[in-house]
Amino acid sequence: MPARADFRVMARNPRRDLLAGLTVAIVALPLALGFGVSSGLGAEAGLATAVVAGALAAVFGGSNLQVSGPTGAMTVVLVPIVARYGPGGVLTVGVMAGVLLIALALLRAGQFMRYVPAPVVEGFTLGIACVIGLQQVPNAVGVAKPEGGEVPLVAWRAVEAFVAAPDWTAVGLSLGVAVVMLAGSRWRPVIPFSIVAVVAATVIARLFHLDATPIGDLPSGLPAPSLAFLDLSALGSLIPPAVAVAALAALESLLSATVADGMTVGQKHNPDKELFGQGIANLAAPLFGGVPATAAIARTAVNVRTGASSRLAALTHAAVLAVIVFAAAPLVSKIPLAALAGVLLATAVRMVEVGALRAMAKATRSDAVVLVLTSVATLALDLVYAVIIGLVVAGALALRAVAAQATLDQVDFRPDLPGEHSDEEHALLTEHIVAYRIDGPLFFVGAHRFLLELSEVSDVRVVVLRMSRVTTMDATGALVLKDAVEKLNRRGIAVLASGIRPGQRQALESVGALELLQHEGREYATTPEAIAGARKHLERAGLLPVRHGDPQHRTRKAPR
């Protein structure tokens, strides 16, 4: 829950926070309208989300700088939900996602965000940018949205409809807005060219009586909170999309908070508290007709760049949008849909960080594979599936790289030989004993390669395994080690082990490998002790003369 310190910070520099909140609201207005339209629930749903979710996430969230509302990534997930379950299904999914987010917060799941690799994040962002751009094609070319849930297919059908009956007014407005935004942001980054371009496009359309489809009538205020949309019988079928929405909200919000921390000095978000705040926001927004929300990286970045230092900026952003909803709804309703499409096209272009993509592609081949695979999966499949695929592939490649570090090297044990030995004894020892040092992890990925290498040992009577440098071992690694020892024993080769770490003993003991190594006292603390044990084994086998200086063998005679 919010603490006093969260609100005490708001009094330190209120003027800068108020100015930052006003700037963010100006930037957020066309985005909220555009994402509301793209989601299928209308511009009023985008505004309600920005106001309600933006205010509640600011109060209950875990970041002082985060700005929440409708986002392009969430819109991508919502479009197929609207097509299948209707507006009521989307609102129900929002409530369910809010409950899931609160549960994740109580389970302290926010800390796991740090384990998402950068190529997955960059590929995810690139894929979202492509999907957002394709979603705008129907409004950008002035055709009714074709039927279908697959974004590339819908965009292609929209292009075909445009070719059959071109609407150059819509194309001109959308491209004009996008060009003004992109060029203006390079020329004067501090000026909110999104609102400038939208106002200019609206004025031009009205003055010249252009045939441009407007947003349409908007309610002058937020609707009263209601649960009339809730259909309890449909909850079971809505669990999968609710999980997808909650996962996306958690991922994007925590990513945005991490980006905000990196842009400032002295700010650090609380990931679990942020999940809780997003859960509260998503519980409440559907009651007012809003779509599921998440933190917005673009708006958060604007908030930071304009000098925000506390939650007052995000609260101001929500308050300004609320005033616009109540006071300027008739004016907002005149904005052409093509102009909003231009805003989102420019937003999609600015989401793509070419430098970051180039760096990821050049880093390693594995990073490039994960980046491309995640972005393609985002475009072709569901966003959450894309992240899961990216994480699985990245994890598999990382495990392969770690497994490649495990080595089985034959080592010269001559310096470890205890006592004095003649040249003849040295020759006999090196002929019948071989020592191997295992370096790195011995686990399920590369363990079988180790088994093949070790099982190929031949022409010796004793194998000494130096295990002090084994970094980790799982049950598979222990089983493989046991199999290798059993195969060598069946061939008459004794296996001695030295330096087994305490953390590895449980895995070895659970599969019976430790008992096998301890058979006839074949486990030793150090390598010199293991070499001495190997020598005694050769003495007992009659392959080496008994050293009469050894107290344990004074009564024994060397075999003829």
Side-chain angles (χ1 to χ4, degrees):
M1 298 298 289
R4 289 185 179 181
D6 296 330
F7 299 103
R8 195 178 300 122
V9 178
M10 295 168 58
R12 292 180 182 175
N13 205 334
R15 184 175 179 180
R16 289 178 60 183
D17 287 332
L18 290 171
L19 179 59
L22 176 61
T23 304
V24 175
I26 294 173
V27 173
L29 175 60
L31 293 175
L33 295 170
F35 289 137
V37 171
S38 295
S39 70
L41 270 70
E44 60 273 18
L47 284 174
T49 305
V51 173
V52 177
L56 291 175
V59 172
F60 293 97
S63 171
N64 288 327
L65 307 174
Q66 195 90 279
V67 180
S68 299
T71 64
M74 188 61 74
T75 301
V76 173
V77 175
L78 297 180
V79 169
I81 299 177
V82 173
R84 183 172 181 180
Y85 300 103
V90 171
L91 301 180
T92 304
V93 164
V95 173
M96 296 172 67
V99 174
L100 291 174
L101 286 168
I102 293 175
L104 289 174
L106 297 177
L107 292 173
R108 307 291 184 187
Q111 58 184 319
F112 295 107
M113 173 60 195
R114 71 187 70 170
Y115 299 115
V116 179
V120 174
V121 175
E122 293 297 335
F124 175 74
T125 305
L126 175 61
I128 288 175
C130 294
V131 174
I132 292 173
L134 291 174
Q135 282 182 338
Q136 309 317 309
V137 172
N139 285 335
V141 298
V143 302
K145 183 179 178 181
E147 295 293 329
E150 299 180 1
V151 175
L153 181 60
V154 170
W156 176 253
R157 289 174 178 172
V159 171
E160 289 180 332
F162 171 78
V163 172
D167 182 357
W168 296 108
T169 298
V171 173
L173 290 175
S174 59
L175 290 181
V177 169
V179 169
V180 169
M181 285 182 61
L182 295 173
S185 62
R186 290 178 173 270
W187 177 54
R188 289 286 189 274
V190 296
I191 299 177
F193 278 97
S194 59
I195 197 72
V196 172
V198 168
V199 169
T202 304
V203 171
I204 291 172
R206 300 292 291 178
L207 284 178
F208 293 95
H209 304 288
L210 299 179
D211 185 16
T213 305
I215 291 176
D217 294 337
L218 293 174
S220 297
L222 295 175
S226 171
L227 281 172
F229 60 84
L230 196 60
D231 182 5
L232 297 179
S233 63
L235 293 182
S237 61
L238 292 175
I239 290 177
V243 171
V245 168
L248 178 60
L251 177 67
E252 191 170 12
S253 297
L254 295 179
L255 174 61
S256 175
T258 303
V259 171
D261 289 348
M263 296 175 64
T264 59
V265 178
Q267 293 283 357
K268 185 176 177 62
H269 73 283
N270 182 324
D272 297 316
K273 192 172 182 180
E274 180 61 28
L275 291 180
F276 181 78
Q278 295 298 330
I280 295 294
N282 279 282
L283 269 178
L287 305 183
F288 296 88
V291 297
T294 177
I297 297 178
R299 276 161 272 180
T300 299
V302 172
N303 195 37
V304 174
R305 292 194 189 105
T306 50
S309 60
S310 75
R311 301 162 190 266
L312 180 59
L315 286 170
T316 302
H317 141 270
V320 171
L321 291 178
V323 171
I324 293 174
V325 170
F326 282 96
L331 295 176
V332 172
S333 65
K334 303 294 192 297
I335 296 175
L337 290 175
L340 294 182
V343 171
L344 299 186
L345 285 173
T347 301
V349 171
R350 291 195 298 195
M351 287 176 66
V352 179
E353 295 286 346
V354 178
L357 294 176
R358 187 181 293 114
M360 292 294 168
K362 290 182 177 180
T364 65
R365 184 177 299 177
S366 297
D367 288 336
V369 169
V370 172
L371 172 68
V372 173
L373 186 60
T374 306
S375 59
V376 171
T378 302
L379 185 60
L381 305 173
D382 181 81
L383 294 187
V384 177
Y385 288 149
V387 173
I388 293 174
I389 291 172
L391 289 175
V392 170
V393 173
L397 293 174
L399 287 174
R400 189 185 69 170
V402 171
Q405 298 175 2
T407 59
L408 180 69
D409 297 323
Q410 184 174 345
V411 294
D412 181 10
F413 57 82
R414 197 176 275 261
D416 298 319
L417 293 176
E420 297 293 332
H421 302 272
S422 65
D423 292 340
E424 182 181 359
E425 285 183 326
H426 275 302
L428 288 171
L429 288 170
T430 54
E431 178 184 354
H432 296 297
I433 304 174
V434 63
Y436 286 98
R437 183 180 63 223
I438 307 174
D439 286 343
L442 186 59
F443 67 133
F444 69 95
V445 178
H448 292 87
R449 174 173 57 86
F450 163 82
L451 171 62
L452 293 175
E453 292 182 23
L454 188 58
S455 300
E456 291 175 356
V457 175
S458 60
D459 300 328
V460 296
R461 298 300 297 271
V462 181
V463 171
V464 177
L465 297 179
R466 301 174 61 173
M467 301 180 61
S468 60
R469 296 190 182 183
V470 176
T471 56
T472 185
M473 181 185 297
D474 65 356
T476 303
L479 277 172
V480 165
L481 181 62
K482 178 185 177 183
D483 290 343
V485 172
E486 288 177 337
K487 286 185 177 181
L488 292 174
N489 287 343
R490 285 196 294 267
R491 291 166 50 195
I493 301 174
V495 180
L496 283 61
S498 68
I500 298 177
R501 295 183 176 183
Q504 301 158 7
R505 303 184 74 85
Q506 182 177 354
L508 291 169
E509 187 176 8
S510 65
V511 299
L514 188 61
E515 181 182 358
L516 186 63
L517 290 171
Q518 290 175 337
H519 176 64
E520 296 183 1
R522 293 179 179 177
E523 184 204 348
Y524 299 87
T526 65
T527 301
E529 293 176 355
I531 298 298
R535 189 188 193 287
K536 295 171 185 175
H537 178 81
L538 295 179
E539 291 175 357
R540 290 193 294 269
L543 298 174
L544 199 68
V546 177
R547 295 175 58 194
H548 297 287
D550 190 338
Q552 298 181 15
H553 299 279
R554 284 180 180 172
T555 60
R556 297 180 59 188
K557 296 181 180 180
R560 293 182 182 273

